């Protein structure tokens, strides 16, 4: 290949495989993250979560809600 430093066949692929929280949309997002971790994933994409609005944070979220995850 012209202009290619490393032949394509010799390149190492480093994929980051994760899981979205959507299958756990009936649960709080911490439960979803626990399930994703138990399944062996290191990466998670947060989509929806059970709550007032199905969102984890909104413009109306309090400082306490936005300060980080906490178990009740």
């Amino acid at each position: 290949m012209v202009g290619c430093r490393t032949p394509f066949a010799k390149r190492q692929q480093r994929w980051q495989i994760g899981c979205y929280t959507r299958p756990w949309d009936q649960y709080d997002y911490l439960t979803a993250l626990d399930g994703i971790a138990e399944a062996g994933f290191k990466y998670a994409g947060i989509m929806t979560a059970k709550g007032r609005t199905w969102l984890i944070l909104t413009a109306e979220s309090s400082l306490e809600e936005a300060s980080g995850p906490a178990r009740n």
Side-chain angles (χ1 to χ4, degrees), residues 3-68:
C4 185
R5 294 183 195 168
T6 306
F8 183 74
K10 292 184 181 181
R11 291 184 192 169
Q12 290 184 349
Q13 299 295 326
R14 295 185 183 180
W15 297 95
Q16 293 180 345
I17 309 255
C19 183
Y20 283 114
T21 59
R22 191 170 188 168
W24 290 271
D25 68 352
Q26 297 299 310
Y27 303 95
D28 66 81
Y29 74 98
L30 294 173
T31 301
L33 294 176
D34 286 344
I36 291 168
E38 287 175 18
F41 291 101
K42 294 181 180 180
Y43 304 99
I46 298 177
M47 294 184 74
T48 58
K50 183 179 180 180
R52 294 185 312 254
T53 65
W54 294 92
L55 300 172
I56 294 171
L57 292 175
T58 66
E60 291 81 30
S61 295
S62 70
L63 182 58
E64 291 78 26
E65 291 173 318
S67 65

